[in-house]
Amino acid sequence: LGMELEVTDIAFDSIIPGVQTGKYDMGMAGMTVTDERKAVMDFSDSYATGIQSIIVPEGSDIAPPDDLAGKKIGVQLGTTGDQLATEYEQNDGSTVERFNKGADAIQALKQGKIDCVVIDYNPAKAFVEKNDDLQILDEELSSEEYAMCVNKDNSELTAKINEALTQLKEDGTLDAIVSNYIGDEAGQHPYTSPEGV
């Protein structure tokens, strides 16, 4: 973009308010495009597709997502996993435990305080690789598009971001970045964010 980049690492649920108020120019963190967010933010073109996965202990009685009804579900606060679990909480008698970090939810799962964790596939895969007693269910909970969010009053920046994304896609840079973060899974699960939504 020909601009100097300054990255500020903040709590995920503070990104949209920060961009809305002009504190930040854009938000990037596996930000899922939703109709609700589009009502208050502009989004760039999608740069990746994400899947919400369910992590359970080995031997769990949870198999398809329908089994989440009545269970204790762990999520990272403010993420798509939080939103999806809230639907189970409102409609199916589930309980949702919200954590600031995905790792905290995993710790609670290992301690038996919750029954499962709903989180993006990429961090789910990383957590399960480090914990032999956990597994990812085969059936995904949802899929979504990731993009960068920009203040609605800054359409010029959104256009510039889209031009850059087009170039990065065409010259293979975007695929290289994705592959760097998720290795051999790039063709199946092109995720770039460790904890977003």
Side-chain angles (χ1 to χ4, degrees), residues 16-61:
I16 289 179
V19 174
Q20 282 181 294
T21 60
K23 186 173 184 179
Y24 310 109
D25 296 305
M26 62 180 165
M28 297 175 58
M31 182 70 64
T32 303
V33 180
T34 66
D35 289 339
E36 181 181 14
R37 289 175 176 168
K38 284 165 73 174
V40 297
M41 305 296 303
D42 280 344
F43 281 92
S44 69
D45 294 338
S46 173
Y47 61 82
T49 301
I51 288 176
Q52 290 296 305
S53 297
I54 304 169
I55 302 176
V56 297
E58 291 283 355
S60 170
D61 62 351

Side-chain angles (χ1 to χ4, degrees), residues 116-180:
C116 64
V117 173
V118 174
I119 198 165
D120 288 1
Y121 173 80
N122 192 33
K125 182 173 178 283
F127 286 132
V128 168
E129 285 175 351
K130 294 177 183 176
N131 295 278
D132 294 339
D133 54 342
L134 302 180
Q135 65 179 12
I136 300 173
L137 297 184
D138 291 335
E139 190 174 341
E140 66 193 48
L141 189 57
S142 73
S143 63
E144 58 210 0
E145 295 300 317
Y146 291 157
M148 294 165 230
C149 67
V150 181
N151 189 293
K152 281 188 171 290
D153 294 332
N154 202 350
S155 57
E156 182 178 345
L157 178 60
T158 305
K160 286 182 179 180
I161 291 171
N162 287 338
E163 289 175 15
L165 281 173
T166 297
Q167 181 179 339
L168 293 172
K169 289 175 184 176
E170 289 175 352
D171 68 14
T173 302
L174 187 59
D175 285 341
I177 292 170
V178 170
S179 296
N180 183 55

